[in-house]
Amino acid sequence: MPKQRVFKERGIGDNKVIKESSPAHAQSKVAPAPLLLEFPKSSGGLKRKKRDWVIPPINFPENDRGPFPKEMAKIKSSNAKEIAVTYSVTGPGADQPPVGLFTINRNSGWLYVTQPLDRERQDKYTLQAHAEGAGGQVVEDPMDIIISVIDVNDNKPVFTQNPFLGSIDEAAKPGTEFMKVEATDADQPGTDNSDLKYSIVSQEPKLPNDNMFAINPVTGGIRLSLSGLDREKYPKYTLEIQVADMKGDGAAVLGKAVITVTDSNDNAPQFEQTSYTVSVPENEVGYVVVKMPVTDEDELNTPAVWTKYKIISGDTNGAFNITTGPNKMEGIITTAKPLDFEKNSKYTLLVIVENDVPFASPLATSTATVTVDVTDVNEAPVFKPVKLIITKPEDLPVGADLALYTATDIDTAMKQKVSYKTGHDPAGWLTVNKDTGLIKVKSPMDRESLFAKDGKYTATILASDDADVPATGTGTLEITLEDVNDNAPTIVERSFSICNKDPAPILLSVTDKDGPGFAAPFHVELQGDSRNNWTARMNDTKTGIILTLKTQLEADSYNVVLKVSDNQHESQASSVTVRVCDCQGNDVECSEGRAAGVGLPAILGILGAVLGLLLLVLLLLRFMRQKSV
């Protein structure tokens, strides 16, 4: 049972029990007597509402006629016995839009409504009541007041459309529900005010019976009540429908339902031609094999004449599709897969036609036979496998055999010869025997070449027949090149600068184009005079050289020769240029006083020699001139 709380009714000294409103109460058109609402009492020093203290909502009917303002409830503070208390109310409808819908007498605490309420616009308002003493001192915690707007039956039902349109097959059985009417009511859902009931007022024409149709009073579903529909005599019916609220006893409105009687499917479609013989080229997908028109005596442009087709025999591997043409009175057969003349040169298809809707009564269906002759076309030779993968060492000699890669001409009915040639051979490493398909090495292969991706070289081989219009098939050859130790390690950095006093060691990077089995760990040795002034050793990973100047050299450029070997002792001597500068430690600063390794005294000497040579030439010319005189 709902909780109850004792409140005083205005003008009555005795207490009265106010219960939570029920749906039956919600239908009342008379506003309830105003309530006396007291602020909840406090317990202890903090003002807390007692858990069992329930402030009931104020139930007020919509469209009340007043007079306004009209009393709704009286707000009371228990402190009013001791001090002067003023009251106020806040919230939507009071100091918030719609402002002024609810007001309160500051001194007496009477809460008023100032105009009629509309439940369909807003069905509930939540306000807060406040009590203050002298100087605005708050003497009570705010109290929530809920105003529930009680629904009254002030809205008529409304049909969602008018007229409603429906159709029923003339062969339909009694009890068949074929359409539905629907109405809405803006009054409160779940109450009698919005409880709608439907009924049929009249039927036109009234033949062959005045009660051919019935309506579900709750759902609005219309069903056939009696047999006897005849589209040729009575192609259309108009029903006048009524809907009323209050379970059918309240406000009522009328609407119409227009019912079209459709033709029943009592004639089977017939093929115009029952036998076809056609030719279809092999290897064509989506090729139109045949179009088969039909006729039907039922009403045109209705489901009773629209057709669907099925191949019921002769297509065991699903090589054909059959669809309905755009006019829905034609079957179209197309190829679903490439036909293969060499496997099956003829098909005999048996096709059946039916309507989109079932026959009204059992009828014999029409069939047609389609004989398909597959015509042979020149097909390209086929490599098996389409992609041949082989593994060979990269250092195979020129002329060595790589693979025998052949194709088969699937045109067994045509006696043709297949010949071979290379297609895409990006590095030009391959040659293929025209007659046998034997692939050989044409030029040296290199696993480290840019044409080999991740050690794999890919080329295509072409096979062509000798028809008047040759057909060419393509095969792919992928060669995985096995690495051999055909590359010596090299030093990446070929020149650098260091100081001649307390120089820091130099780290040189070593690289090898070969794979991991023929590369690191590396070994290094200084060659010739380089051993006098330098030391070289490998770093901890054996992939870099640590070069150190062990004696102080004059500022100049020097060549340091290093022999680097891989783990299979394949080696190569590399020369690096070191510019030694007059500086100390890691802060390398090189003077520009030397130009290309030549000092200023040397330059002056060269200039003096040139001048001396010019002077000698002048003296020689003068001597020869005097002698000739």
Side-chain angles (χ1 to χ4, degrees), residues 517-535:
F518 304 107
F522 300 113
H523 177 73
V524 64
E525 293 181 36
L526 287 165
Q527 303 293 300
D529 294 341
S530 299
R531 289 177 288 190
N532 299 330
N533 301 316
W534 304 87
T535 62

Side-chain angles (χ1 to χ4, degrees), residues 253-502:
V253 293
L254 296 176
K256 291 185 182 298
V258 178
I259 302 169
T260 301
V261 181
T262 59
D263 186 29
S264 64
N265 190 16
D266 51 1
N267 292 282
Q270 302 293 319
F271 283 107
E272 291 184 359
Q273 185 176 332
T274 59
S275 179
Y276 296 86
T277 300
V278 295
S279 295
V280 177
E282 65 175 335
N283 302 324
E284 295 284 345
V285 177
Y287 186 88
V288 177
V289 177
V290 66
K291 295 183 178 181
M292 300 178 291
V294 299
T295 60
D296 197 312
E297 295 181 4
D298 290 317
E299 184 181 3
L300 294 177
N301 299 318
T302 67
V305 298
W306 295 341
T307 53
K308 57 185 178 182
Y309 303 83
K310 183 186 297 184
I311 300 173
I312 59 176
S313 68
D315 184 23
T316 56
N317 62 348
F320 300 92
N321 278 331
I322 188 165
T323 57
T324 302
N327 65 357
K328 299 188 178 183
M329 298 287 288
E330 180 181 55
I332 302 174
I333 297 178
T334 57
T335 53
K337 298 179 180 178
L339 303 183
D340 190 340
F341 172 83
E342 287 71 29
K343 291 183 178 179
N344 192 350
S345 62
K346 178 175 288 189
Y347 295 84
T348 301
L349 309 177
L350 184 62
V351 181
I352 189 173
V353 60
E354 296 175 329
N355 290 123
D356 276 0
V357 296
F359 297 137
S361 59
L363 297 172
T365 55
S366 179
T367 59
T369 301
V370 181
T371 301
V372 181
D373 293 322
V374 182
T375 58
D376 194 16
V377 298
N378 187 28
E379 298 173 87
V382 176
F383 281 95
K384 291 185 178 180
V386 176
K387 183 176 184 180
L388 178 62
I389 301 175
I390 61 174
T391 301
K392 297 292 180 180
E394 64 173 325
D395 62 346
L396 276 179
V398 173
D401 293 348
L402 286 173
L404 182 65
Y405 194 19
T406 59
T408 302
D409 191 345
I410 60 177
D411 292 315
T412 56
M414 303 179 184
K415 302 301 181 182
Q416 299 178 140
K417 181 181 179 181
V418 178
S419 59
Y420 303 91
K421 64 180 180 179
T422 56
H424 181 61
D425 181 14
W429 290 346
L430 309 177
T431 182
V432 59
N433 186 286
K434 176 182 177 183
D435 299 316
T436 65
L438 178 62
I439 304 171
K440 294 187 176 185
V441 179
K442 179 181 178 182
S443 59
M445 299 183 295
D446 184 3
R447 177 181 174 277
E448 291 73 41
S449 168
L450 295 176
F451 296 104
K453 305 298 182 183
D454 298 325
K456 297 178 181 179
Y457 182 73
T458 303
T460 57
I461 307 299
L462 305 179
S464 303
D465 59 30
D466 60 351
D468 292 338
V469 181
T472 300
T474 302
T476 300
L477 176 66
E478 182 181 286
I479 307 172
T480 299
L481 296 170
E482 295 178 331
D483 193 22
V484 297
N485 197 12
D486 57 347
N487 292 281
T490 59
I491 299 173
V492 177
E493 299 85 3
R494 305 313 293 265
S495 63
F496 56 92
S497 300
I498 65 171
C499 292
N500 56 6
K501 303 180 186 67
D502 301 326

Side-chain angles (χ1 to χ4, degrees), residues 3-159:
K3 288 185 178 181
Q4 301 176 354
R5 173 60 56 185
V6 176
F7 292 90
K8 290 184 178 180
E9 187 177 353
R10 179 175 177 258
I12 301 176
D14 298 334
N15 291 331
K16 182 178 180 180
V17 175
I18 305 297
K19 299 183 179 180
E20 293 180 355
S21 61
S22 65
H25 297 145
Q27 308 308 317
S28 173
K29 297 183 180 180
V30 180
L35 298 177
L36 177 60
L37 304 180
E38 294 189 21
F39 284 91
K41 295 181 180 180
S42 301
S43 61
L46 297 174
K47 295 184 178 181
R48 294 181 179 175
K49 296 179 181 179
K50 291 185 178 180
R51 294 182 180 273
D52 61 347
W53 193 280
V54 178
I55 305 299
I58 300 173
N59 296 318
F60 197 87
E62 65 174 336
N63 303 326
D64 189 271
R65 297 183 179 180
F68 296 102
K70 189 168 187 176
E71 296 174 344
M72 300 182 73
K74 185 174 183 180
I75 313 302
K76 181 180 179 181
S77 170
S78 60
N79 295 310
K81 298 176 182 179
E82 303 171 0
I83 60 174
V85 177
T86 58
Y87 302 92
S88 62
V89 65
T90 60
D95 61 341
Q96 300 174 26
V99 176
L101 183 58
F102 304 102
T103 60
I104 192 169
N105 187 300
R106 291 178 54 83
N107 298 317
S108 66
W110 275 107
L111 179 67
Y112 298 95
V113 61
T114 63
Q115 56 184 278
L117 302 180
D118 186 352
R119 190 202 67 85
E120 285 70 45
R121 179 177 297 176
Q122 186 166 342
D123 62 354
K124 184 169 67 175
Y125 299 85
T126 301
L127 308 176
Q128 279 196 327
H130 307 269
E132 297 179 350
Q137 179 184 4
V138 177
V139 297
E140 299 282 3
D141 287 339
M143 176 174 61
D144 290 335
I145 300 175
I146 298 176
I147 300 171
S148 294
V149 184
I150 302 172
D151 186 39
V152 297
N153 192 17
D154 58 345
N155 291 281
K156 290 183 178 181
V158 176
F159 278 110

